[in-house]
């Protein structure tokens, strides 16, 4: 065979002695039916969606979604869950998000709402004796759009009767790991950390574990310091932005300092590690040799590293450094491995309402208190933990 082309699926097909009849003249497509169309404006691709979906990438996405949904269903059903489809047209039941409203043709002046979640229906199923329910539910919320929020989305919705936290984690772990494996990933075991540990180590209640740069405790290092900015501070923490010293000049460091102040910190101390291991910064002259060495040891500093420190209240120091940690080190959302974790033991209350003098719920008023903290409800409510928890993937809850 002449002109064989191994690079094409049809490269081994040859036509001989054929007749071609033109039935119609096709217009040139508005964009290539290939990966080159990724650079085409989304509005154009959506206008010609029937062509866009013919591309290999879009076909792969649809088949991947189908495989993931199938894996979730198999995992849930293997654990005794029953899939139940709940209504889409429902009475208005405000749950915190704005609803999409649908007018009734037969009852002028009356309206349906599109469901924000199947919350009431799954509770009805629990009372009715369906002790393990799930569905891949369509939810609709009339909220402002964000990278992680759309008007319409799908979620794995589940409910169990007489279940504790361990039961929920076991069931959802199986579904999540099955979905990840169907997507060609092996995230390994899903780890569990407390809310306090997440804030203390990562400065966030939804930490991204794909990169290190953990927050380190430095309060004891400066217990007897003469540096006024650190003297008497209740908490001093630091992070090591490895290899970032050269990248961050004075303008960028000033921008980081301004951002820290905007978030409520009193300031931001930066130190660069020179090629010979010496710390460089306007504040170095206020730090003793012992303090400088302790900082380098605690932050595992090496030449070329950028060290950032905040002295403030524990919450402020952690949240500011947690934000800077993400700004300096977080990979793009589509990069890196899947790193799942459960964050547990969230605070039941966060602060006190100035108008009423009562504690403000951290999530909602119906969270169950941690059984070990019940004795603190009346005397020290802000120390009470809840039995609330979040599943986090690469910094997204």
């Amino acid at each position: 065979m002449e002109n064989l082309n191994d690079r094409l699926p049809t490269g081994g097909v040859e036509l001989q002695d054929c007749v071609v009849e033109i039935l119609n003249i096709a217009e040139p497509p508005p964009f290539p039916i290939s990966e080159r169309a990724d650079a085409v404006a989304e509005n154009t691709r959506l206008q010609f969606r029937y062509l866009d979906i013919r591309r290999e990438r879009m076909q792969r996405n649809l088949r991947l979604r189908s495989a993931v949904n199938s894996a979730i269903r198999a995992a849930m059903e293997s654990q005794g869950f029953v899939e139940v489809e709940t209504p889409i047209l429902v009475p208005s039941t405000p749950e915190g998000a704005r609803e999409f409203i649908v007018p009734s043709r037969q009852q002028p002046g009356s309206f349906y709402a599109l469901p924000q979640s199947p919350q009431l229906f799954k509770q009805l199923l629990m009372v009715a004796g369906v002790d393990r329910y799930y569905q891949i539910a369509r939810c609709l919320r009339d909220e402002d759009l964000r990278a992680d929020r759309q008007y319409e989305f799908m979620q794995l919705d589940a409910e169990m009767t007489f279940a504790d936290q361990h039961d929920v984690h076991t069931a959802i772990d199986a579904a999540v790991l099955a979905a990840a494996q169907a997507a060609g990933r092996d995230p390994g075991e899903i780890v569990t950390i407390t809310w306090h540990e997440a804030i203390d180590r990562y400065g966030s209640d939804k930490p991204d574990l794909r990169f290190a740069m953990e927050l380190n405790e430095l309060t004891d290092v400066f217990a007897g310091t003469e540096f006024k900015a650190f003297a008497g501070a209740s908490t001093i923490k630091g992070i090591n932005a490895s290899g970032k010293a050269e990248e961050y000049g004075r303008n960028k460091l000033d921008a980081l300092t301004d951002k820290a102040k905007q978030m409520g910190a009193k300031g931001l101390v930066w130190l660069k590690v020179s090629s010979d291991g010496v710390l460089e910064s306007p504040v170095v002259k206020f730090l003793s040799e012992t303090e400088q060495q302790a900082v380098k040891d605690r932050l595992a500093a090496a030449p070329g590293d950028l060290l950032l420190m905040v002295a403030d209240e524990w919450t402020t120091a952690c949240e500011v450094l947690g934000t800077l940690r993400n700004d300096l080190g977080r990979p793009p959302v589509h990069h890196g491995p899947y790193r799942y974790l459960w964050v547990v033991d969230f605070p039941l209350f966060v602060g006190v309402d100035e108008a009423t003098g009562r504690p403000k719920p951290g999530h909602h008023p119906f969270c169950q208190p941690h059984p070990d903290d019940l004795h603190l409800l009346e005397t020290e409510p802000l120390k009470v933990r809840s039995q609330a928890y979040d599943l986090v993937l690469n910094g997204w809850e």
Side-chain angles (χ1 to χ4, degrees):
M1 180 181 294
E2 297 181 1
N3 301 322
L4 182 67
N5 189 345
D6 295 332
R7 294 177 297 175
L8 295 176
T10 57
V13 177
E14 185 174 345
L15 298 178
Q16 296 178 346
D17 298 330
C18 63
V19 176
V20 177
E21 178 183 357
I22 298 176
L23 300 178
N24 202 349
I25 298 177
E27 297 179 0
F31 49 79
I33 311 302
S34 68
E35 297 305 306
R36 288 186 294 165
D38 289 345
V40 176
E42 187 177 41
N43 287 342
T44 302
R45 289 171 42 216
L46 290 175
Q47 181 182 356
F48 298 95
R49 193 62 163 170
Y50 53 92
L51 296 177
D52 188 39
I53 293 177
R54 294 187 64 170
R55 297 192 301 125
E56 181 182 352
R57 177 184 179 186
M58 301 304 296
Q59 291 276 329
R60 186 170 63 246
N61 288 347
L62 291 174
R63 296 178 190 280
L64 174 60
R65 183 186 180 99
S66 175
V68 167
N69 286 345
S70 178
I72 290 173
R73 286 189 168 96
M76 297 301 284
E77 288 164 10
S78 70
Q79 300 176 89
F81 284 83
V82 178
E83 182 175 13
V84 180
E85 296 181 352
T86 53
I88 290 295
L89 291 176
V90 300
S92 179
T93 55
E95 300 175 18
R98 286 187 291 271
E99 299 171 317
F100 283 103
I101 302 299
V102 181
S104 169
R105 178 182 60 83
Q106 293 184 335
Q107 300 290 334
S110 298
F111 299 85
Y112 299 102
L114 301 180
Q116 303 174 43
S117 76
Q119 182 70 35
L120 294 181
F121 294 110
K122 65 183 179 183
Q123 291 174 342
L124 183 151
L125 289 169
M126 295 302 102
V127 175
V130 181
D131 60 344
R132 288 195 166 203
Y133 140 91
Y134 88 97
Q135 70 170 311
I136 300 175
R138 188 177 300 277
C139 302
L140 303 104
R141 299 179 182 179
D142 189 9
E143 295 288 328
D144 295 336
L145 296 177
R146 296 195 316 222
D148 60 342
R149 177 181 293 166
Q150 299 176 337
Y151 294 137
E152 179 180 353
F153 60 91
M154 307 292 287
Q155 70 179 28
L156 170 59
D157 193 70
E159 190 70 73
M160 306 164 66
T161 56
F162 304 108
D164 59 20
Q165 180 173 298
H166 175 73
D167 296 328
V168 175
H169 287 193
T170 299
I172 300 303
D173 281 359
V176 166
L177 293 177
Q181 289 162 4
R185 305 278 185 160
D186 183 11
E189 182 182 0
I190 300 179
V191 300
T192 300
I193 65 174
T194 66
W195 173 88
H196 187 277
E197 182 182 358
I199 299 295
D200 198 56
R201 292 174 57 189
Y202 303 102
S204 171
D205 60 6
K206 46 185 178 182
D208 190 337
L209 303 188
R210 290 175 297 169
F211 65 107
M213 207 186 299
E214 291 190 22
L215 281 59
N216 286 272
E217 184 62 51
L218 299 172
T219 310
D220 58 313
V221 171
F222 296 100
T225 188
E226 296 181 1
F227 182 32
K228 292 183 179 180
F230 285 0
S234 61
T235 298
I236 304 172
K237 282 188 169 290
I239 58 174
N240 180 352
S242 180
K244 296 284 186 180
E246 185 176 351
E247 178 182 345
Y248 277 78
R250 190 57 185 262
N251 288 340
K252 286 187 176 182
L253 291 170
D254 288 345
L256 290 180
T257 302
D258 290 341
K259 183 168 187 176
K261 291 179 178 178
Q262 290 170 6
M263 296 182 63
K266 299 179 179 67
L268 176 70
V269 171
W270 57 265
L271 302 164
K272 290 184 176 182
V273 186
S274 67
S275 58
D276 55 1
V278 176
L279 294 180
E280 299 176 346
S281 171
V283 306
V284 167
K285 59 187 176 183
F286 301 112
L287 306 180
S288 69
E289 292 293 334
T290 302
E291 290 169 344
Q292 293 182 43
Q293 187 60 48
V295 168
K296 289 192 289 185
D297 292 343
R298 193 70 60 89
L299 298 183
D305 290 349
L306 173 65
L307 314 180
L308 302 176
M309 296 184 290
V310 172
D312 215 301
E313 299 298 323
W314 178 79
T315 302
T316 301
C318 291
E319 289 181 353
V320 169
L321 285 176
T323 300
L324 297 182
R325 172 182 181 266
N326 282 335
D327 291 346
L328 294 170
R330 189 175 186 182
V333 65
H334 59 283
H335 284 191
Y338 286 1
R339 295 296 304 275
Y340 289 97
L341 78 154
W342 288 103
V343 180
V344 302
D345 294 350
F346 278 73
L348 186 63
F349 301 109
V350 287
V352 176
D353 189 289
E354 294 182 359
T356 64
R358 296 184 176 182
K360 295 185 294 186
H363 186 53
H364 58 66
F366 312 110
C367 284
Q368 187 175 8
H370 196 289
D372 293 344
D373 296 344
L374 292 177
H375 65 287
L376 299 173
L377 272 173
E378 298 295 333
T379 57
E380 297 180 282
L382 298 185
K383 292 185 177 181
V384 178
R385 296 165 295 168
S386 70
Q387 294 196 59
Y389 40 85
D390 276 338
L391 180 63
V392 179
L393 169 61
N394 295 355
W396 299 87
E397 62 184 10

